[in-house]
Amino acid sequence: MEEHKKRIIKTIRYIDDNLETDLSLEKIAEIGMYSSFHFHRIFKLITGETLQNYIIRKKIEKSAFYLAVKKDIAMKDIYHDLGFSSHSVFSKTFKKHYGIAPSAFRNSAPETFHKILQIQSKNGQVDTVFSQYICHVENLLNWTKMNLKIEVKELPEMNLASVMSLGISHVEPSYNTLIEWAKKRHLFPRENVKMISVYHDSFKVTAADKVRIHACILLDERLEDQKGVVFSETIDAGKYIVGSGEFTLDDFEKCWVSLFLWMNEHHYSMKKAFPFEIYHSNFKDHPEGKMIVDFCIPVY
């Protein structure tokens, strides 16, 4: 836990101390010793903001500080130094954040500044912000210990019947199609049936309405070639980090982030394969909307 606190604080301090530079996801993830593939999810869960939104907000807050207390610096120099391409872009972003144009903000009395922006310490940090983020890390790790059982397992090869979904909103209809197909072949319902979601795209690089998720049912043997929307898919046997527990759909993001943190902390690397979820129960059958799930990351 202490290690994650140090790494998250390190990335936040780096951002706040280098707002005038090019702050790429890859660079900041490297500073925190996280994989850039997973860091955006970890950062958003802990701070409540995407990395890009956090950077823009901190740039606007720093510009407000300069506008209020450094009247000798030209506005153009302020927004250029912070990477805004033009006055119109800067003004629009500033007004969206504070509800007032930067020129009007500068003309207001400096003594009102503290009502909008917290007084910064000598190194430009706001201590209460770090306390808040540390609390989020601790809460996540405590939640993980209480709710998510994490193990490294050797999983067997899994033969699946799959239906592709383009976009998160189409996953349920894809499962409905798959279940209707399975019913006709007496593969559903049956005892201990397992439904699986395989993620073929990352939400980091693909929009939620375009991400490719396969709705799958586990079969006893490989499916022969099918005509239509149902096709054969195989998950290779191998080593996996498996996080297990009973969760609501709202818990899924925390589960994945917790597994990525655990993977980094224990020095595993993700294979060039697809993570997936195995469902052992249906949330629709639970009074609180909970389901028993295994979250699986292929590693070496």
Side-chain angles (χ1 to χ4, degrees), residues 238-296:
K239 184 184 293 183
Y240 292 83
I241 295 174
V242 181
S244 305
E246 190 174 33
F247 309 100
T248 66
L249 294 175
D250 291 338
D251 293 327
F252 277 32
E253 180 71 7
K254 281 192 289 189
C255 291
W256 280 118
V257 171
S258 296
L259 282 188
F260 293 143
L261 287 171
W262 194 94
M263 181 180 71
N264 285 332
E265 185 178 11
H266 291 81
H267 309 295
Y268 287 97
S269 296
M270 184 174 173
K271 288 181 181 177
K272 290 184 178 179
F274 304 113
F276 54 92
E277 299 159 354
I278 305 175
Y279 312 121
H280 300 276
S281 65
N282 190 338
F283 72 94
K284 293 181 179 179
D285 298 332
H286 194 284
E288 297 177 15
K290 292 183 177 181
M291 60 197 305
I292 300 170
V293 187
D294 293 337
F295 298 86
C296 307

Side-chain angles (χ1 to χ4, degrees), residues 74-99:
M75 188 181 299
K76 184 177 181 179
D77 292 336
I78 292 174
Y79 67 73
H80 273 170
D81 286 346
L82 289 170
F84 291 96
S85 59
S86 67
H87 180 272
S88 61
V89 172
F90 171 63
S91 183
K92 182 179 179 180
T93 309
F94 191 98
K95 191 170 184 179
K96 182 178 179 181
H97 189 72
Y98 284 121

Side-chain angles (χ1 to χ4, degrees), residues 37-289:
F37 186 80
H38 307 308
F39 178 68
H40 71 295
R41 300 179 77 166
I42 297 169
F43 189 90
K44 184 177 180 181
L45 187 72
I46 291 171
T47 66
E49 297 177 88
T50 65
L51 178 62
Q52 187 61 26
N53 285 348
Y54 179 85
I55 291 171
I56 290 173
R57 178 172 65 81
K58 296 306 293 185
K59 286 185 175 187
I60 289 297
E61 288 177 355
K62 189 165 187 176
S63 71
F65 179 80
Y66 286 148
L67 289 170
V69 302
K70 297 190 176 183
K71 304 280 188 172
D72 57 320
I73 301 179
M75 188 181 299
K76 184 177 181 179
D77 292 336
I78 292 174
Y79 67 73
H80 273 170
D81 286 346
L82 289 170
F84 291 96
S85 59
S86 67
H87 180 272
S88 61
V89 172
F90 171 63
S91 183
K92 182 179 179 180
T93 309
F94 191 98
K95 191 170 184 179
K96 182 178 179 181
H97 189 72
Y98 284 121
I100 186 174
S103 55
F105 182 89
R106 168 165 264 184
N107 292 332
S108 64
E111 56 266 20
T112 66
F113 182 58
H114 70 279
K115 295 180 181 178
I116 299 179
L117 191 66
Q118 290 177 286
I119 299 173
Q120 295 179 318
S121 59
K122 290 181 180 179
N123 63 356
Q125 308 303 329
V126 184
D127 292 337
T128 55
V129 171
F130 290 111
S131 298
Q132 175 187 350
Y133 293 159
I134 291 169
C135 182
H136 286 170
V137 176
E138 291 175 341
N139 287 343
L140 174 62
L141 296 174
N142 288 335
W143 181 90
T144 301
K145 289 178 183 177
M146 291 189 293
N147 296 282
L148 190 63
K149 180 183 178 182
I150 302 177
E151 302 175 282
V152 176
K153 296 182 178 182
E154 291 288 337
L155 296 183
E157 180 181 85
M158 286 178 261
N159 296 307
L160 311 174
S162 305
V163 174
M164 185 173 67
S165 167
L166 290 176
I168 191 73
S169 64
H170 294 140
V171 172
E172 186 170 356
S174 294
Y175 269 112
N176 292 338
T177 299
L178 179 65
I179 289 170
E180 287 304 312
W181 174 90
K183 283 180 177 178
K184 293 177 182 178
R185 289 157 179 79
H186 307 291
L187 298 172
F188 186 92
R190 57 191 171 95
E191 189 177 359
N192 297 323
V193 64
K194 298 290 188 296
M195 311 302 285
I196 298 175
S197 290
V198 182
Y199 291 87
H200 284 256
D201 287 317
S202 166
F203 286 93
K204 169 183 176 290
V205 295
T206 306
D209 63 341
K210 294 181 175 61
V211 68
R212 185 161 54 106
I213 302 171
H214 290 182
C216 311
I217 187 170
L218 181 62
L219 304 176
D220 294 330
E221 55 188 28
R222 191 183 298 269
L223 179 70
E224 297 297 327
D225 289 340
Q226 292 285 311
K227 293 182 180 179
V229 296
V230 179
F231 55 90
S232 176
E233 183 170 5
T234 301
I235 294 176
D236 291 335
K239 184 184 293 183
Y240 292 83
I241 295 174
V242 181
S244 305
E246 190 174 33
F247 309 100
T248 66
L249 294 175
D250 291 338
D251 293 327
F252 277 32
E253 180 71 7
K254 281 192 289 189
C255 291
W256 280 118
V257 171
S258 296
L259 282 188
F260 293 143
L261 287 171
W262 194 94
M263 181 180 71
N264 285 332
E265 185 178 11
H266 291 81
H267 309 295
Y268 287 97
S269 296
M270 184 174 173
K271 288 181 181 177
K272 290 184 178 179
F274 304 113
F276 54 92
E277 299 159 354
I278 305 175
Y279 312 121
H280 300 276
S281 65
N282 190 338
F283 72 94
K284 293 181 179 179
D285 298 332
H286 194 284
E288 297 177 15

Side-chain angles (χ1 to χ4, degrees), residues 16-34:
D16 290 3
D17 288 342
N18 294 274
L19 290 171
E20 293 83 1
T21 65
D22 181 22
L23 295 169
S24 67
L25 168 64
E26 291 73 18
K27 178 63 177 178
I28 298 168
E30 180 184 356
I31 294 295
M33 294 182 291
Y34 288 106

